[in-house]
Each structure stands twice: as structure tokens, then as C-alpha cells.
Amino acid sequence: MEGSLLIEKMTGSWPVYPGHPLVLATAIMKIFPTFTDANATTEHGWSAALSDQRIPGAGDHVGAAMRVLEIGAKGGAVDEMVQYATRYWTDGRAGGHERNVASGIEQAAAIEPHFRAAAASWFTAPALAETSAG
């Protein structure tokens, strides 16, 4: 399923541009089976998630979502991932899209329970072992 539809189904609204990292990270976890799959390098040198048209959002925000997920892949706590995503969105003022800051915060709050539930099972031992080896 396309990421925008997943986000709309989970939050009741379409993705807020340029994409809150927590929202995009949730879509990535729903579309890719593991962090290793999402982070696989494409022929252009980008991560698979960044290259995948099913993941909505601006490239820098998809990259931030991958950094959120990398925290979890390296054994970081879910709270740490949420804090990173929140800080990126608020400190960066939604990538300069000032009018979208508040609605992005609201959307992230709506999706956070889904993010936490997905993160609880997405970071599997095999995926962590592959990430550590790479």
C-alpha cells in the first residue's frame, strides 16, 4: 500500500508536507519488512526508502525518518527516536514550511501510538545483526 494512504488511514489526514519524521518513519516500517531492507543502498547511493515512491515527503525529511529508524536499529529506545523526530521537525520549522508546523505536530501525535507499536516488533535481532555488521 502507498504510504500516503497508510498515513491517512492511521491519522485521518493526508501527510503534512514536507513530512514529520515520525510520520514518515511509521510509513517506512509499514512498507519495508526490516531496517536493513529500508536502508539498502540503491544504484544511486540512496537508501531504498528514500528512493521508493511509496514513501511520501521531501527527501531531507525521509532522510531524517531513516535517522530516526537508525537509532532503533542501533538499539536506541523508542522515546529517543520520538525525541529526535520531534526535535528535527520543530527546530527545523518543518523545513521552512512554517504554516505546517502545528499540523505536523498534531499528525505526529496521532501516529505516535502506531509508531510505538510498529517499533516494538520491527527491530528484530536479524535486522540488528545485519546493521551492526555493516
Side-chain angles (χ1 to χ4, degrees):
M1 180 180 271
E2 204 267 338
S4 293
L5 294 173
L6 288 167
I7 292 165
E8 193 273 333
K9 184 177 179 180
M10 288 183 275
T11 67
S13 61
W14 290 99
V16 175
Y17 189 82
H20 192 294
L22 196 69
V23 174
L24 300 180
T26 306
I28 291 167
M29 286 190 289
K30 297 291 185 179
I31 290 172
F32 289 91
T34 66
F35 177 78
T36 301
D37 293 315
N39 200 42
T41 304
T42 66
E43 64 186 49
H44 301 292
W46 304 311
S47 71
L50 182 58
S51 301
D52 195 308
Q53 294 180 356
R54 296 174 296 173
I55 306 300
D60 56 337
H61 287 253
V62 176
M66 287 302 296
R67 288 190 295 280
V68 167
L69 295 172
E70 183 178 32
I71 293 167
K74 291 182 175 180
V78 174
D79 287 341
E80 186 180 352
M81 291 186 278
V82 171
Q83 288 170 358
Y84 179 89
T86 301
R87 193 170 49 251
Y88 185 91
W89 183 259
T90 56
D91 289 356
R93 305 301 299 157
H97 297 270
E98 295 282 331
R99 66 180 172 14
N100 295 349
V101 174
S103 56
I105 290 169
E106 289 173 19
Q107 189 169 60
I111 211 164
E112 186 175 338
H114 298 280
F115 174 84
R116 288 178 179 278
S121 62
W122 198 64
F123 297 104
T124 62
L128 289 174
E130 291 174 30
T131 302
S132 299

